[in-house]
Amino acid sequence: MSATEQCVTTIQKEKQLATLSPNGHTENGHNDTEDDTAFTVGTTNDNCRRTSMRDRRSSVYDDNALREKDTDSIHNDRLKSMTSFYKDILISVGEDPSREGLLKTPKRAAEAMLFFTKGYEQCIGDVVNDAIFEEDCEDMVIVKDIDIFSLCEHHLVPFFGKVAVGYLPKKKVIGLSKIARIVEVYSRRLQVQERLTRQIAEAIQEAVEPRGVAVIVECVHMCMVMRGAQKVNSRTTTSSMIGVFRDEHKTREEFLSLAKI
């Protein structure tokens, strides 16, 4: 058995143990071994490239992150497997991974990738926690100039920029820092900007149940700057409007005027 296969086997076993109840059965009452392959790394099975349908919840707020339940052992196995892959990449591009400058590069790159995708270690429910407050407020709330850094899922190169989030409360407000944390969780995953924008809006909508939510994201995509079209000055702007922001022109215009990024 190769080192990669051993890593996959270990992660599968850890995932199974993490879901066992005291009577020795899985929490949902059936064998999860096949579904859990969606969480493994270093396998060519198509199931490993997507979350199993069982874990695609309809609720954004309750959606579990892919690495949320990772133990230290699983984390170390991921790191070991990714380090091996990065070493292979260096060899494939014609480099010598044994030369001084590259000796620690595979591990550093693996650690960096895990950090860049740390959004898979948190779910929105845990981030928001109990920071929802009853408040007699119905005026627009806007948090803007939120810095984001993400990875394009098509090329695994960065895109970065700013986010503006606004909502119209309906007797409930959310802690302001939680808005920035929601943005951080979703941006620290493999993304496309269009989906990222929608996910932020839907998470705020579900958490606070306001009269409406508006999100604008403006980013520079390195996949358009460093390669491909190589348009250095290009920026991409996306928006998601929910509730009154979509239905009422004046409300939408007020947000767009205040949230310029």
Side-chain angles (χ1 to χ4, degrees), residues 65-81:
L66 300 181
R67 302 201 312 253
E68 182 188 10
K69 295 182 179 180
D70 275 10
T71 63
D72 288 342
S73 176
I74 291 177
H75 175 82
N76 291 334
D77 283 336
R78 289 186 191 278
L79 183 60
K80 181 179 178 181
S81 178

Side-chain angles (χ1 to χ4, degrees), residues 79-80 82-87 90 97 99-116:
L79 183 60
K80 181 179 178 181
M82 292 170 67
T83 299
S84 176
F85 293 150
Y86 275 115
K87 184 176 180 180
L90 289 176
R99 70 177 177 86
E100 184 180 8
L102 297 177
L103 280 176
K104 296 182 179 180
T105 297
K107 185 178 181 181
R108 290 193 189 106
E111 290 172 337
M113 180 58 74
L114 288 174
F115 179 82
F116 295 155

Side-chain angles (χ1 to χ4, degrees), residues 100-213:
E100 184 180 8
L102 297 177
L103 280 176
K104 296 182 179 180
T105 297
K107 185 178 181 181
R108 290 193 189 106
E111 290 172 337
M113 180 58 74
L114 288 174
F115 179 82
F116 295 155
T117 59
K118 66 180 182 177
Y120 290 126
E121 298 170 6
Q122 293 178 295
C123 68
I124 296 301
D126 291 338
V127 170
V128 174
N129 200 4
D130 57 354
I132 306 295
F133 309 101
E134 299 290 335
E135 188 66 43
D136 188 18
C137 173
E138 296 186 354
D139 296 318
M140 191 179 300
V141 178
I142 298 175
V143 181
K144 65 179 185 177
D145 291 330
I146 304 172
D147 294 315
I148 62 164
F149 301 90
S150 193
L151 286 179
C152 163
E153 67 178 33
H154 300 144
H155 304 98
L156 297 185
V157 294
F159 66 92
F160 56 91
K162 293 186 180 294
V163 179
V165 177
Y167 72 99
L168 272 173
K170 188 168 62 178
K171 306 300 183 182
K172 288 192 297 184
V173 297
I174 184 173
L176 295 178
S177 67
K178 300 300 183 180
I179 295 176
R181 290 184 184 277
I182 288 172
V183 171
E184 177 74 1
V185 168
Y186 282 127
S187 64
R188 292 295 188 174
R189 300 178 181 182
L190 301 185
Q191 281 287 9
V192 294
Q193 186 175 326
E194 297 87 342
R195 182 174 66 236
L196 171 62
T197 308
R198 186 187 72 251
Q199 286 177 329
I200 295 168
E202 290 176 348
I204 300 294
Q205 175 68 28
E206 189 163 346
V208 195
E209 299 178 331
R211 288 183 290 156
V213 180

